[in-house]
Amino acid sequence: MSQGTLLKRQFGHRARISLSPAGIRAVDDQAHAARTVWNCLHSWWQMMPKDKRTLANADAAIRQARKEIEFLAVLPAQAAQTVLKTYFQAWKNCWDGRADAPNFKGRFRTVMSVDIPQGRDLQIKRVHRRWGMANIPKVGRVRFRWTKDLPIGKHADTDNRITGARLVKDHLGWHIAFRVMTLESAPKPHEGPEAGIDAGVNLPLALSDGNHQDHGRPAHTKDGKADRDKWLDADEKAKLLRLERRAAQRKAHRKPGERTSRRLHHTYDQIRGLRAKATRRHQDWQHKTTTHIARTYGTVVVEALTITGMVKSAKGTIEEPGKNVSRKSGLNRSISQEAWGRTVAMLTYKTTRYGGTLRKVPAPNTSLRCSACGFITPGSREDQATFVCKNPDCGWSGNADWNASRNILHLYRMGLALIPAAGRAVVRRARRVKPPTAR
């Protein structure tokens, strides 16, 4: 939505909050109550006839449940209303074919979260340079890390304000994600150069101009296996190995049907904490790298990859067993760790914010075609990291990911970019533009 040269922008900002032990228990109870409200709604939906499944009837059922069940009363009424709206929206997404049908939420496999739909309830105030204060309904005033200027006080108005927030818990603690709406000047068209980007395993982001972006973490261990803990240092890897062995030992002593002990749960929490720390480091690198790319280049070209199909198992069936299953499993793990989809999502909104554009081109044969002569010759990718053209008239050699990034940029310049359907942020239906010239 634009008004003259101004552009209304909505984004989220996530910050770590500091809670006392009593505050942690209070927010945990609210999160469990929100999950219970969802499960009660799902049970109510399955029991009621189709003509009775209305928003008004569901609202009445939730209000009655919060009066009769004391455990649900710890959840603020507005947060319960948000759960109700989210549940009905989940069914609409299912009917429109955008998502699967909603289901029950499990205690241990569901992300704990509580929504604060009204921004005025937060009453945010900056304490000093590092910390701010916010009000959480039925919990009180809590501190959060101040890492970004927020529109509060005299800087807040109708067009620049915080519209709400959401409390989210990971294995390193509770965080608050603010929903911010601002009115900013529309960015000028970015006049930077064009760049093709190939996402790889050995080289995370290879750019067509040779300005490759590497996080310095080896993709494989010394024995050639995929390193799933590359974002941890040596001491953290050793600690993780000890915890995994301890968890396996305690699990072996558990009898069939016996409940998991507190010690085993504590060990699992420590393992998840190390995994969460590695994920944060990776996301930090992705944010910094994609911001640098969006500021430097006016047009960024990537492949239209179907990552879910790329990471499918090669196990096969009993009648037709797969080949190199273990090797393919390690490759799948490396692809999942690099999180290519998240990198493209970051580039999508960051290039728009800085006035640039992101384009996608067809992925087939970008890694097999020679970027110098344009021919596809068998045996050019004998080595995973090196491309050697087998064309007798060419013989070009170089990094395989760099070769693919040059092909990606060339496809865009030939007019083979995929055009997204109108009104959709993700390329679902695309048409191929006929190239003006042939190589």
Side-chain angles (χ1 to χ4, degrees):
M1 178 178 178
S2 60
Q3 181 181 356
T5 60
L6 298 179
L7 186 69
K8 185 173 290 188
R9 175 172 170 253
Q10 295 181 351
F11 63 95
H13 172 63
R14 183 166 171 167
R16 176 168 57 90
I17 60 177
S18 177
L19 292 170
S20 64
I24 294 176
R25 288 193 298 269
V27 181
D28 285 350
D29 290 342
Q30 289 190 14
H32 288 307
R35 179 181 54 83
T36 305
V37 168
W38 176 283
N39 291 338
C40 291
L41 276 172
H42 193 58
S43 298
W44 174 88
W45 182 277
Q46 293 178 331
M47 292 186 299
M48 295 296 290
K50 290 184 178 181
D51 57 338
K52 300 294 184 180
R53 298 173 180 172
T54 62
L55 189 63
N57 291 340
D59 181 44
I62 290 298
R63 291 175 183 271
Q64 186 65 25
R66 295 184 71 251
K67 291 180 181 179
E68 297 177 354
I69 305 175
E70 183 179 359
F71 170 68
L72 298 182
V74 302
L75 184 67
Q78 292 182 342
Q81 292 294 317
T82 303
V83 175
L84 175 61
K85 295 177 182 178
T86 304
Y87 182 79
F88 271 73
Q89 184 62 42
W91 275 113
K92 291 181 181 178
N93 295 339
C94 175
W95 296 332
D96 294 341
R98 297 194 298 268
D100 295 333
N103 206 339
F104 290 103
K105 291 188 175 182
R107 179 182 178 89
F108 296 108
R109 65 177 183 271
T110 303
V111 177
M112 298 178 65
S113 62
V114 181
D115 201 84
I116 306 174
Q118 299 293 336
R120 61 174 179 267
D121 295 336
L122 295 170
Q123 301 176 14
I124 300 175
K125 181 180 179 180
R126 186 169 186 177
V127 180
H128 53 78
R129 184 172 63 89
R130 293 181 178 272
W131 292 95
M133 296 286 290
N135 181 68
I136 298 179
K138 294 194 175 184
V139 176
R141 302 289 288 177
V142 299
R143 296 193 308 164
F144 67 91
R145 290 286 294 177
W146 191 279
T147 57
K148 185 180 181 66
D149 290 336
L150 300 173
I152 61 173
K154 62 180 181 180
H155 301 288
D157 52 29
T158 306
D159 297 321
N160 298 275
R161 57 192 175 92
I162 296 176
T163 59
R166 188 177 186 87
L167 300 174
V168 183
K169 186 178 184 181
D170 63 10
H171 299 292
L172 295 177
W174 278 98
H175 298 76
I176 184 168
F178 298 103
R179 293 188 289 270
V180 186
M181 181 179 67
T182 60
L183 196 64
E184 301 177 352
S185 300
K188 297 180 180 179
H190 201 303
E191 298 180 355
E194 301 171 341
I197 298 180
D198 178 72
V201 174
N202 295 316
L203 185 59
L205 295 178
L207 275 68
S208 56
D209 61 354
N211 186 21
H212 308 313
Q213 302 296 317
D214 191 1
H215 46 56
R217 306 278 179 165
H220 302 86
T221 58
K222 294 180 179 179
D223 55 359
K225 296 182 179 179
D227 189 2
R228 62 176 182 173
D229 306 319
K230 57 188 175 185
W231 289 96
L232 300 176
D233 57 30
D235 293 338
E236 291 169 338
K237 288 182 180 181
K239 182 180 179 180
L240 180 61
L241 181 60
R242 290 196 304 268
L243 291 173
E244 289 178 338
R245 288 177 176 174
R246 185 183 305 169
Q249 183 181 12
R250 289 175 175 173
K251 186 177 180 181
H253 287 84
R254 188 180 59 179
K255 298 178 181 179
E258 186 180 1
R259 294 184 61 181
T260 304
S261 65
R262 290 180 179 270
R263 288 184 177 182
L264 183 54
H265 272 307
H266 179 65
T267 305
Y268 284 153
D269 289 340
Q270 289 180 301
I271 294 174
R272 295 189 188 102
L274 287 174
R275 299 285 188 202
K277 184 180 294 186
T279 302
R280 277 195 190 178
R281 290 173 181 172
H282 187 199
Q283 290 180 350
D284 178 70
W285 177 84
Q286 283 183 308
H287 273 291
K288 293 178 180 178
T289 303
T290 52
T291 300
H292 168 72
I293 293 174
R295 287 175 174 174
T296 305
Y297 300 97
T299 302
V300 178
V301 190
V302 297
E303 294 175 294
L305 297 174
T306 307
I307 301 177
T308 54
M310 296 177 61
V311 296
K312 284 186 177 180
S313 174
K315 186 176 181 179
T317 60
I318 297 178
E319 294 79 9
E320 297 181 0
K323 298 180 180 179
N324 298 326
V325 179
S326 178
R327 185 176 179 180
K328 181 63 167 63
S329 177
L331 178 62
N332 293 347
R333 189 180 298 113
S334 299
I335 293 175
S336 299
Q337 284 181 341
E338 291 298 333
W340 296 342
R342 189 167 61 205
T343 301
V344 174
M346 291 180 181
L347 285 172
T348 301
Y349 74 83
K350 290 183 179 182
T351 51
T352 303
R353 182 181 180 185
Y354 290 104
T357 56
L358 183 133
R359 294 289 183 263
K360 293 185 178 182
V361 296
N365 297 326
T366 53
S367 60
L368 300 177
R369 182 182 295 108
C370 177
S371 59
C373 65
F375 284 93
I376 300 176
T377 53
S380 297
R381 288 295 302 274
E382 293 179 356
D383 185 4
Q384 183 67 23
T386 308
F387 183 93
V388 180
C389 183
K390 298 299 182 180
N391 183 9
D393 298 331
C394 180
W396 183 89
S397 63
N399 183 275
D401 296 330
W402 181 37
N403 175 74
S405 65
R406 293 175 51 172
N407 285 325
I408 291 170
L409 180 60
H410 183 74
L411 289 176
Y412 167 74
R413 290 175 173 175
M414 287 182 64
L416 293 176
L418 299 176
I419 309 300
R424 298 187 182 182
V426 181
V427 177
R428 296 184 183 273
R429 297 178 181 177
R431 62 182 179 88
R432 175 173 291 184
V433 181
K434 186 177 179 180
T437 58
R439 176 175 282 184

